[in-house]
Amino acid sequence: MLYPPRRILEDTNAPPKFGSPKDIANAIDELKSAFTGETGAQELVNTKVSTDPDDLHTHGFSENDHFPGMSPSVVIYPSTTEEVATIVRIATKYKVPITVYSGATSLEGHYRAHSTGGICVDMSTMDRIIAIHEEDSDLVCQPGARWMDINEILKEKGIPLFFPIDPAPGATIGGMLSTGCSGTNAVRYGTAKGEWFLNATVVLPSGEVIKTRRRSRKSSAGFDLTKLFIGAEGTLGIVTEVTIRLAPLLPTTVAVVQFPNVQKATEAVADVLNTGVGIQCVELVDDIFIDAINRYGMSARKYPVADSLFFKFQGPTPASLKETAKIVKAVAERHGGTGFQLARTKEDADALWADRKNAHYAGLAIMPGAKGWPTDVCVPVSKLPQLVYETKRDIAAAGLLSTIVGHVGDGNFHALILFKTDEERERTKALVSRMVKRAIALDGTCTGEHGVGIGKKEYLVEELGEGTVQLMKTIKKAIDPLGIFNPGKLYPDDSPSQGKPGEDH
Amino acid sequence: MLYPPRRILEDTNAPPKFGSPKDIANAIDELKSAFTGETGAQELVNTKVSTDPDDLHTHGFSENDHFPGMSPSVVIYPSTTEEVATIVRIATKYKVPITVYSGATSLEGHYRAHSTGGICVDMSTMDRIIAIHEEDSDLVCQPGARWMDINEILKEKGIPLFFPIDPAPGATIGGMLSTGCSGTNAVRYGTAKGEWFLNATVVLPSGEVIKTRRRSRKSSAGFDLTKLFIGAEGTLGIVTEVTIRLAPLLPTTVAVVQFPNVQKATEAVADVLNTGVGIQCVELVDDIFIDAINRYGMSARKYPVADSLFFKFQGPTPASLKETAKIVKAVAERHGGTGFQLARTKEDADALWADRKNAHYAGLAIMPGAKGWPTDVCVPVSKLPQLVYETKRDIAAAGLLSTIVGHVGDGNFHALILFKTDEERERTKALVSRMVKRAIALDGTCTGEHGVGIGKKEYLVEELGEGTVQLMKTIKKAIDPLGIFNPGKLYPDDSPSQGKPGEDH
């Protein structure tokens, strides 16, 4: 069969019309009978197809963000690619929106259901490691596998490799791919948009199953379709199997150093990276974050309250780590760095790094009872000091409080803005909007690693331009002509003045 | 204006119908008047719009491959993005095929004109560096800029940064992006498909100009449209400006070591890479290549005739390079490596590396008067020994001669098969076909870094599957509904049995 079938193509220019409540009810009935299996056993249906209200609520709500909850009509727990294809065919038949859920660590409302409800596909039970190719440094797994579990399993098996993309702890491979995520290791290993996802098996909106690429590390056989699904946030298909590349697990150690200000710290980082020493991570934290860590009470240390850098060094031998520490200390001191501390033992390194990693909970603890609005932006590295300076001034002027933590080697930073009342939440929202516009004005992006979801979609035209966003929509329409894959996420809403496609303006 | 305009969308399902000779003549007239400028000066037209037969021949022929020459109807030398947009609008108006030419180093017939002729856009005069952001380690340039020139200019300016993607010496940034290329540095820095191209300005088939992304190192603002044009071989738009990321220029040195066979050498490479020492390149060469280098007469050395590895080490300090050499030597010897030689001086390192880099001409020199058919395939690293072993046996059985050079850290290797007669050329072609099928059967790709062009397009369905290729075609059709952008390249031809889109099979 040619893709896409004509009956779908005919709808290409129509705005999405989703199924009615009756269509959704029919889709659920059909899903139930599809998942009964040959035995017709009701228990099997109940574990695979859920309309339990608590289950629906869990799948349409997140503690991590502040967008209104929106429950799906049904949650399905598939086990195989074929089952996902069945779900997609039924969703297409009844034009029912279809949204994927896995680690639930997203921060921008990515897995909220559509306002008409729809089907939530929970991939968390598709979490198997299918093959480990140690000799090729790659691994094949299902999308619900968690990166931390994968690294733990490799360690248990005595395989000295790891997957270096490190977003939030509970994140799954499928969610990481779909968000185009990264983390503290990006300064050394790059992001999900680099070359860590070798291929993906995807169920397309047509119900067809494709594999984007083979398993060789490189290929120049045309444009790489794997990349199309990285950052597509489930709007172009459902990923059901992934091959990821692994990196050698190397000895590391940790150091911390204080600076007079963010400008000096950022300049030091640029110089450190240019020396070519083994830097696995370099994290900027501001004075407010340090104060939060000191008060949080989980650390044996009391840090000087100043803008600081946490480094994780990596190298093949203890001698190389020592050399790196010596070089970094000298560069830092040339830029006004003080109090350089290198971890004395492995335990000490772990403790230092844990202090950095406690950012979220330490940040929340500085205002008991407050909620935190997490957000991230990214700019060319040299613009980071200006962005941080102006943002901190703006936060203070707005009468709000926020810690700032930055993946400074990439020009990426996170704020966790604290609020208690509805009025403060609105002030926070406005503050985030100004921060995003400031980042875009500095040739940056509305999100370095959290993705667009609901929260950032209004900024895409300002960041990328109308033509670029239209090209994204053209591709979306060609692949998902019914518009049922995670509707309302990523792409900016059409403005009423845009009219219908095909009309001249 | 919404993209794509309705008049183009109407053609979506029709097979491409290109302009008649009369349409081409009209397009050339219109191009000439568009490029006269306000002064109407004929000299300006002549430097920008050429129908000189020699010029047409040069732009439709390549010494690097063995596909039939095919000249364009006209060659245009634009200077700006706006001029490229003008060319695209005229090509669209008359449905004239449009192909881009720049470094002319491609090996698979990428810039051959269409059989009906058409417009060749020569970007080699759009070769300016527009901005160097040393503090951000990035650089903005036009697509005709050559990577070696860029690195030379950075060196002259005393900026200790470089662009690490290193294909053939004359390759341009635009061609490198469009081919999804790589080179010897890929084992350390990855490929063009990684994170080295931060953004691209592209003239779309609609004539609209977009910029794919901003300049920050990271962004998770949706799927990355830059990636769509990487490896698209000019079939989705014309790249007119690019921001590339730069890496710190580090001290390097070179070593060579012999092995009993390819299997042992490949195993040594895997172990070396897992130690985490600074390897910038690791190149496998076979015994026939070593014999060729010894006979070629450009080297002061006589190498032992054996399968060998050339290493380029990199590190922040002389001490780190020494440590790396010591570790690599020990690992190599554990795998049967002998005669490990580390360059004694910088000049010695350059001489050693030049011997590896002379692969093409040394390879040709072993059979005076012969032509070489260059090709590349790539497989998971552990499959490389089997692939090389079977391929060498196949070459011998076919009564042909070829050197083999491999980017072994990535599982990628090149053959340069020598032939003199037409009959030998046909035998070579059949040999290449068997090599490709062997690579695909080992979960690899028909091309690791040369791209598809004309030469490899017949293998894409076997490699990627019908559905994946159809998805590529769906995207192509949505973006270039007239099918005039570099027709006949990259996408496999529709087989007659496929019928027209919309028909059921």
Side-chain angles (χ1 to χ4, degrees):
Chain A
M1 194 192 75
L2 279 163
Y3 173 79
R6 167 177 268 179
R7 86 186 141 73
I8 290 182
L9 260 186
E10 281 165 3
D11 283 319
T12 301
N13 279 335
K17 277 185 211 133
F18 300 117
S20 64
K22 176 79 184 131
D23 289 321
I24 293 179
N26 285 337
I28 294 174
D29 282 349
E30 201 159 323
L31 284 163
K32 281 184 177 165
S33 62
F35 282 90
T36 309
E38 290 179 4
T39 64
Q42 195 55 40
E43 311 82 75
L44 186 67
V45 178
N46 291 343
T47 61
K48 291 259 185 184
V49 182
S50 169
T51 51
D52 174 80
D54 285 349
D55 219 11
L56 300 183
H57 175 76
T58 306
H59 286 79
F61 170 82
S62 171
E63 289 278 2
N64 300 331
D65 66 51
H66 308 287
F67 309 107
M70 193 62 71
S71 296
S73 315
V74 59
V75 180
I76 325 215
Y77 300 86
S79 306
T80 64
T81 297
E82 292 65 36
E83 287 187 357
V84 174
T86 299
I87 297 166
V88 168
R89 279 187 217 108
I90 294 169
T92 303
K93 178 174 171 186
Y94 294 101
K95 300 190 183 174
V96 175
I98 185 164
T99 296
V100 178
Y101 178 102
S102 55
T105 59
S106 76
L107 300 173
E108 297 291 354
H110 289 84
Y111 63 81
R112 282 296 185 285
H114 185 255
S115 60
T116 61
I119 299 167
C120 173
V121 186
D122 187 326
M123 305 300 275
S124 59
T125 48
M126 280 180 72
D127 63 349
R128 280 192 307 120
I129 293 177
I130 294 164
I132 300 173
H133 303 113
E134 183 177 355
E135 67 288 8
D136 293 322
S137 299
D138 71 46
L139 179 154
V140 185
C141 67
Q142 290 185 310
R146 289 170 157 74
W147 69 273
M148 285 188 82
D149 292 348
I150 286 172
N151 288 341
E152 201 51 48
I153 287 165
L154 289 168
K155 199 188 242 175
E156 280 166 17
K157 287 183 183 288
I159 297 173
L161 299 170
F162 79 120
F163 187 57
I165 315 272
D166 62 332
T172 64
I173 294 295
M176 291 160 69
L177 185 155
S178 298
T179 309
C181 77
S182 44
T184 64
N185 290 334
V187 69
R188 167 68 184 85
Y189 295 99
T191 78
K193 297 197 169 181
E195 303 189 72
W196 296 100
F197 291 104
L198 293 182
N199 63 48
T201 300
V202 183
V203 180
L204 296 176
S206 65
E208 192 165 10
V209 178
I210 64 160
K211 189 167 172 179
T212 55
R213 240 195 52 156
R214 284 174 173 259
R215 199 163 58 79
S216 57
R217 283 188 192 171
K218 290 169 34 175
S219 172
S220 58
F223 53 95
D224 181 0
L225 285 177
T226 322
K227 301 288 201 281
L228 188 69
F229 297 96
I230 297 174
E233 304 186 355
T235 66
L236 301 178
I238 301 180
V239 173
T240 60
E241 193 175 301
V242 181
T243 305
I244 55 176
R245 191 170 161 181
L246 305 172
L249 194 62
L250 302 179
T252 62
T253 188
V254 174
V256 62
V257 53
Q258 288 81 43
F259 286 87
N261 54 48
V262 169
Q263 176 83 37
K264 294 280 182 194
T266 305
E267 286 167 3
V269 169
D271 276 4
V272 163
L273 293 177
N274 282 343
T275 65
V277 295
I279 303 296
Q280 183 168 326
C281 317
V282 48
E283 295 287 299
L284 173 75
V285 298
D286 75 342
D287 50 351
I288 297 176
F289 172 88
I290 292 287
D291 190 41
I293 283 290
N294 284 341
R295 290 163 186 243
Y296 187 49
M298 297 292 283
S299 177
R301 279 189 166 78
K302 287 283 171 214
Y303 293 93
V305 178
D307 299 327
S308 308
L309 294 176
F310 283 76
F311 283 96
K312 189 184 275 185
F313 305 139
Q314 69 164 213
T317 60
S320 69
L321 291 176
K322 247 186 215 164
E323 186 187 55
T324 294
K326 197 176 143 197
I327 291 172
V328 171
K329 182 168 187 280
V331 174
E333 287 174 354
R334 216 160 59 223
H335 290 278
T338 51
F340 181 92
Q341 269 192 53
L342 182 67
R344 290 172 303 271
T345 59
K346 170 145 185 11
E347 291 66 36
D348 193 30
D350 290 346
L352 267 170
W353 200 248
D355 287 342
R356 157 62 189 87
K357 280 285 188 177
N358 280 329
H360 187 77
Y361 292 104
L364 286 176
I366 53 177
M367 193 192 278
K371 290 178 177 175
W373 185 302
T375 193
D376 89 311
V377 291
C378 187
V379 291
V381 180
S382 69
K383 310 289 188 194
L384 189 68
Q386 182 186 346
L387 180 67
V388 172
Y389 176 76
E390 292 178 4
T391 300
K392 282 173 73 90
R393 209 171 48 178
D394 196 13
I395 294 168
L400 292 165
L401 197 57
S402 174
T403 50
I404 282 190
V405 177
H407 307 318
V408 59
D410 302 308
N412 182 204
F413 87 83
H414 302 256
L416 182 70
I417 308 160
L418 302 176
F419 66 89
K420 287 184 174 171
T421 66
D422 285 354
E423 187 276 327
E424 282 173 354
R425 192 187 59 215
E426 290 310 302
R427 248 191 289 157
T428 297
K429 206 171 152 184
L431 184 68
V432 169
S433 178
R434 291 195 297 277
M435 191 187 311
V436 165
K437 284 163 186 284
R438 203 174 289 127
I440 292 174
L442 292 169
D443 217 354
T445 175
C446 64
T447 171
E449 56 182 32
H450 292 174
V452 179
I454 296 170
K456 296 282 175 77
K457 65 182 181 172
E458 66 185 283
Y459 305 112
L460 248 59
V461 170
E462 187 171 340
E463 178 176 331
L464 298 171
E466 185 70 47
T468 305
V469 170
Q470 281 299 336
L471 179 57
M472 294 172 80
K473 289 184 176 182
T474 297
I475 292 168
K476 162 76 172 170
K477 272 201 171 152
I479 297 176
D480 178 23
L482 296 179
I484 60 172
F485 274 62
N486 209 9
K489 319 295 158 45
L490 201 163
Y491 312 92
D493 302 326
D494 290 322
S495 65
S497 69
Q498 277 187 306
K500 287 185 206 136
E503 283 180 14
D504 284 324
H505 293 277
Chain B
M1 193 193 76
L2 280 163
Y3 172 80
R6 167 176 268 177
R7 87 188 140 74
I8 290 182
L9 260 185
E10 280 165 3
D11 283 320
T12 300
N13 279 335
K17 278 185 211 133
F18 299 118
S20 65
K22 176 79 184 134
D23 288 322
I24 293 179
N26 285 337
I28 294 174
D29 283 347
E30 202 160 322
L31 284 163
K32 280 185 178 165
S33 64
F35 281 91
T36 310
E38 291 180 4
T39 64
Q42 196 55 39
E43 312 82 73
L44 188 65
V45 178
N46 291 343
T47 60
K48 291 259 183 184
V49 183
S50 169
T51 51
D52 175 80
D54 285 350
D55 220 11
L56 300 183
H57 176 76
T58 306
H59 286 79
F61 171 81
S62 171
E63 289 278 2
N64 300 331
D65 65 51
H66 308 287
F67 309 107
M70 194 60 73
S71 297
S73 316
V74 59
V75 180
I76 324 213
Y77 300 86
S79 306
T80 63
T81 297
E82 292 65 36
E83 288 186 357
V84 174
T86 298
I87 297 166
V88 168
R89 279 187 216 107
I90 293 170
T92 303
K93 179 174 168 186
Y94 294 101
K95 300 190 183 175
V96 176
I98 186 165
T99 296
V100 178
Y101 177 102
S102 54
T105 59
S106 75
L107 300 174
E108 297 291 353
H110 289 85
Y111 63 81
R112 282 296 185 284
H114 185 254
S115 59
T116 62
I119 298 168
C120 173
V121 186
D122 186 326
M123 305 301 273
S124 59
T125 49
M126 282 181 70
D127 63 349
R128 280 191 308 120
I129 292 177
I130 294 165
I132 300 172
H133 303 113
E134 184 177 354
E135 67 287 7
D136 293 322
S137 299
D138 71 47
L139 179 154
V140 186
C141 67
Q142 290 184 309
R146 289 169 156 73
W147 70 273
M148 284 188 83
D149 292 347
I150 287 172
N151 288 342
E152 201 49 49
I153 288 165
L154 289 167
K155 200 188 242 176
E156 279 167 18
K157 287 184 183 289
I159 298 172
L161 298 170
F162 78 121
F163 186 58
I165 315 273
D166 62 332
T172 64
I173 295 295
M176 291 160 70
L177 185 155
S178 298
T179 310
C181 77
S182 44
T184 64
N185 290 333
V187 67
R188 166 69 184 84
Y189 294 100
T191 78
K193 297 199 168 181
E195 303 190 72
W196 296 102
F197 291 105
L198 292 181
N199 63 49
T201 300
V202 183
V203 180
L204 296 176
S206 65
E208 192 165 10
V209 178
I210 64 160
K211 189 167 172 179
T212 54
R213 241 195 52 157
R214 285 176 171 256
R215 200 163 58 80
S216 56
R217 284 189 191 170
K218 288 169 34 174
S219 172
S220 58
F223 53 96
D224 181 359
L225 285 177
T226 321
K227 301 288 199 280
L228 189 67
F229 297 96
I230 297 174
E233 305 187 355
T235 65
L236 301 178
I238 300 180
V239 172
T240 60
E241 193 176 301
V242 181
T243 305
I244 55 177
R245 192 168 160 183
L246 305 172
L249 194 62
L250 302 180
T252 62
T253 189
V254 174
V256 64
V257 54
Q258 287 81 43
F259 286 86
N261 54 47
V262 169
Q263 176 84 37
K264 294 280 182 194
T266 305
E267 285 167 6
V269 169
D271 276 4
V272 163
L273 293 177
N274 283 343
T275 64
V277 295
I279 303 295
Q280 183 168 325
C281 317
V282 49
E283 295 286 298
L284 173 74
V285 298
D286 76 343
D287 50 351
I288 297 177
F289 173 87
I290 291 287
D291 189 41
I293 282 291
N294 284 343
R295 291 163 184 243
Y296 186 49
M298 297 293 282
S299 177
R301 279 189 166 78
K302 288 283 170 210
Y303 294 93
V305 178
D307 299 328
S308 308
L309 293 176
F310 282 77
F311 283 97
K312 190 184 275 185
F313 305 140
Q314 70 163 213
T317 61
S320 69
L321 291 176
K322 247 185 218 167
E323 186 187 55
T324 294
K326 198 176 144 194
I327 291 172
V328 170
K329 182 169 187 280
V331 173
E333 288 173 354
R334 216 160 60 222
H335 291 277
T338 51
F340 181 92
Q341 270 193 53
L342 182 65
R344 290 172 302 272
T345 60
K346 169 145 185 12
E347 290 67 35
D348 193 30
D350 290 346
L352 267 169
W353 200 247
D355 287 342
R356 157 60 189 86
K357 279 286 186 176
N358 280 329
H360 187 77
Y361 292 104
L364 286 176
I366 52 176
M367 192 192 280
K371 290 178 177 175
W373 186 304
T375 193
D376 90 309
V377 291
C378 188
V379 290
V381 180
S382 69
K383 310 289 187 193
L384 190 67
Q386 181 186 347
L387 180 66
V388 171
Y389 176 76
E390 292 178 2
T391 299
K392 281 171 74 91
R393 209 171 47 178
D394 196 13
I395 293 169
L400 293 166
L401 197 57
S402 174
T403 50
I404 283 190
V405 177
H407 307 318
V408 59
D410 301 308
N412 182 203
F413 87 83
H414 302 256
L416 182 69
I417 307 160
L418 302 176
F419 66 91
K420 286 184 175 174
T421 65
D422 285 354
E423 188 276 327
E424 282 173 355
R425 192 188 57 215
E426 290 311 302
R427 249 191 287 155
T428 298
K429 206 172 151 183
L431 184 69
V432 169
S433 179
R434 291 195 298 277
M435 192 187 310
V436 165
K437 284 164 186 284
R438 202 174 290 127
I440 293 174
L442 293 169
D443 217 353
T445 174
C446 64
T447 171
E449 56 184 31
H450 292 175
V452 179
I454 295 170
K456 297 282 176 76
K457 65 182 181 171
E458 66 185 283
Y459 306 112
L460 249 60
V461 170
E462 187 170 340
E463 178 176 332
L464 299 170
E466 185 71 45
T468 304
V469 170
Q470 281 299 336
L471 180 56
M472 293 172 81
K473 288 186 178 182
T474 297
I475 291 168
K476 161 77 172 170
K477 271 202 172 151
I479 296 176
D480 178 23
L482 295 179
I484 60 172
F485 274 62
N486 208 11
K489 320 295 158 43
L490 199 163
Y491 311 94
D493 302 326
D494 290 323
S495 64
S497 70
Q498 277 187 308
K500 286 187 208 134
E503 283 178 16
D504 283 325
H505 293 275

